[in-house]
Amino acid sequence: MKEAKKKFSLTFADLAMFVSNLVSSMTRDSAEFAGRGVDAADITALEALGNSFEVFPTDDFYIGAIQIEVDAKNALRASSQLMIQSISGYFEQKWGIKSGEYKQLRIRNIQKMSDNNFLVASRAVVSVANLYISDLTPIGLTQSEVDALETEAQLFEDKLNAVADKKKLRDDKARERVDLANNLYDIVTTYCKIGKLIWEYVNEAKYNDYIIYKAWRSSLSKPQKHMAELD
């Protein structure tokens, strides 16, 4: 999906603050705006949209949610690795680490494996352990120990999926936030244009309340055309 892009150079926080100030200015000038077809309900709707945008979770919120799942995933990997070490110990005791039976476990360099490869290795250990369970039971390996690793492997896979889901949610919410901001900015620019038309050559202070990018301020008593205005 194509990444959503901002239509404006303000930060999200600056946009939210500007909307709050704009609502105040429009409420003050509600009589003038009413004469331009913008009534109290429109101002209230802008305020509600601004409030909704202001409390929309930031990217840090979703990064934190991803980290929670990653930490849980890492904890499961660590516990699974301990189980694998315990089970492989029986293979080492029975046949040695150079044996074909031990090599069938496929756990060489398991600490450096990617998460996906680690999951495959965990399931391989379960399969091979079940294959030789009758040989290893006399020296201590139990079916419950093998089953516990199988359960842990499924939990690990579930957590991998949870991490992926959280990453997708982050991307979706980032686009949603930009879309909401762009919609809000479009409304803001429309109302600011009306506000400037109302107060141009009438009241410089009130005119300036409707300038989004105040890169240049007129020193004249009457507002002039602001060449540096970007909106």
Side-chain angles (χ1 to χ4, degrees):
M1 186 180 292
K2 187 176 180 180
E3 181 181 358
K5 294 185 178 181
K6 289 165 56 182
K7 295 180 177 180
F8 52 91
S9 59
L10 294 170
T11 66
F12 287 135
D14 286 342
L15 177 62
M17 194 68 245
F18 186 86
V19 171
S20 178
N21 292 333
L22 179 60
V23 168
S24 296
S25 297
M26 291 177 68
T27 301
R28 177 198 65 202
D29 303 333
S30 58
E32 289 78 9
F33 270 89
R36 301 276 181 151
V38 181
D39 59 22
D42 294 320
I43 299 174
T44 299
L46 173 62
E47 182 177 23
L49 188 61
N51 289 340
S52 176
F53 175 70
E54 188 173 355
V55 300
F56 195 94
T58 66
D59 191 50
D60 286 339
F61 175 86
Y62 296 104
I63 290 175
I66 293 171
Q67 188 61 55
I68 290 171
E69 298 294 351
V70 168
D71 290 344
K73 178 264 296 181
N74 289 341
L76 282 169
R77 175 165 176 158
S79 61
S80 295
Q81 190 161 315
L82 289 175
M83 292 179 180
I84 290 171
Q85 289 172 349
S86 175
I87 292 173
S88 67
Y90 294 107
F91 280 75
E92 182 177 356
Q93 178 182 339
K94 179 73 175 180
W95 294 292
I97 60 174
K98 294 183 178 181
S99 66
E101 290 85 354
Y102 189 91
K103 290 178 180 178
Q104 284 181 312
L105 293 172
R106 292 185 287 172
I107 59 173
R108 184 180 179 183
N109 295 324
I110 194 169
Q111 297 90 344
K112 298 180 180 180
M113 287 182 181
S114 68
D115 285 336
N116 289 340
N117 286 337
F118 181 84
L119 175 62
V120 172
S122 298
R123 293 236 162 90
V125 170
V126 170
S127 178
V128 175
N130 279 324
L131 181 64
Y132 294 110
I133 188 71
S134 60
D135 296 303
L136 298 173
T137 297
I139 61 173
L141 179 63
T142 64
Q143 186 64 54
S144 62
E145 189 173 356
V146 178
D147 292 344
L149 176 59
E150 184 174 20
T151 299
E152 199 81 350
Q154 184 58 55
L155 292 174
F156 183 70
E157 181 178 9
D158 293 343
K159 197 54 64 175
L160 286 176
N161 289 330
V163 171
D165 289 344
K166 291 298 182 182
K167 289 181 178 179
K168 181 179 183 300
L169 178 63
R170 180 197 176 193
D171 291 341
D172 290 343
K173 289 300 181 179
R175 285 189 290 269
E176 185 178 340
R177 192 179 188 211
V178 171
D179 289 341
L180 179 59
N182 286 338
N183 179 52
L184 184 59
Y185 182 74
D186 286 341
I187 297 171
V188 164
T189 54
T190 297
Y191 288 154
C192 283
K193 181 177 180 180
I194 294 173
K196 287 185 288 187
L197 288 172
I198 290 171
W199 298 115
E200 189 173 21
Y201 304 111
V202 177
N203 187 306
E204 181 180 12
K206 290 184 178 180
Y207 178 94
N208 287 338
D209 289 338
Y210 297 97
I211 297 176
I212 300 175
Y213 299 98
K214 297 180 176 65
W216 181 82
R217 291 180 180 273
S218 172
S219 60
L220 303 177
S221 58
K222 289 184 179 181
Q224 303 296 315
K225 292 297 182 181
H226 289 226
M227 299 302 294
E229 173 125 323
L230 303 179
D231 57 321

